[in-house]
Amino acid sequence: MSLLQQSRKILAACVLILVLTLTTACGGGTLTQADRTVNPPVVGRDVAYGQLERGDSPAAQSFGDWVVQASKGLITDAFVRDNNKLGVVISSKVPPSDVRALAKSLVEGFHKNFPNQDLTVLVYAPDKKLILTTQYDVQTKQVQYS
């Protein structure tokens, strides 16, 4: 390799390091919570699935993680809101005839972890369209599907 080519590579590396250092150092400081625009989480038929996160509290996050892990591939994603709404995205492995039974099982597990309140389980198809809403009434201990 010629001296000129070697010098060019060293110069290019130095310029790259300088640019990265300056952009990092002069990047405008840290972002504070007040600088962020936060939209309150909303769960329903009008919300795009991509706007959701796994949980809005540590307990909700843990339960959502557990649901996905314990499902052994039947549930590809889960989210919990306000400790009373559970949304799950089922995989294509779940036959349509088993969706209600899965939702009832999820309501029972959800109730054990978040007792003494009415609960809602939203079941989404693999394409993330809502296919079933299951509601548990703590007063009557009844499950309703819609």
Side-chain angles (χ1 to χ4, degrees):
M1 194 183 314
S2 74
L3 183 60
L4 182 60
Q5 288 177 331
Q6 201 172 19
S7 298
R8 284 166 116 185
K9 287 185 180 184
I10 293 172
L11 181 62
C14 290
V15 168
L16 182 60
I17 291 171
L18 180 65
V19 168
L20 290 175
T21 303
L22 288 175
T23 56
T24 303
C26 301
T30 60
L31 187 63
T32 64
Q33 186 67 26
D35 296 333
R36 296 184 186 132
T37 302
V38 177
N39 294 327
V42 178
V43 176
R45 296 179 192 263
D46 300 332
V47 175
Y49 176 81
Q51 295 173 321
L52 304 174
E53 297 172 358
R54 182 69 47 95
D56 60 358
S57 72
Q61 178 75 32
S62 295
F63 186 75
D65 290 339
W66 177 83
V67 166
V68 173
Q69 291 170 357
S71 73
K72 298 182 178 157
L74 296 178
I75 297 172
T76 59
D77 200 5
F79 65 87
V80 178
R81 294 289 174 269
D82 303 324
N83 293 336
N84 67 357
K85 291 183 186 103
L86 169 65
V88 296
V89 179
I90 59 173
S91 74
S92 57
K93 297 177 190 176
V94 179
S97 59
D98 290 350
V99 172
R100 252 186 204 217
L102 177 62
K104 184 173 183 183
S105 177
L106 288 167
V107 164
E108 291 169 357
F110 197 32
H111 176 65
K112 287 179 184 174
N113 285 276
F114 299 95
N116 303 324
Q117 57 185 328
D118 295 337
L119 303 171
T120 302
V121 174
L122 306 167
V123 181
Y124 293 88
D127 63 358
K128 301 191 179 56
K129 290 185 181 174
L130 184 63
I131 58 173
L132 180 67
T133 301
T134 308
Q135 295 178 326
Y136 175 78
D137 186 330
V138 73
Q139 302 275 324
T140 64
K141 298 182 181 175
Q142 297 292 315
V143 178
Q144 294 183 348
Y145 305 94
S146 56

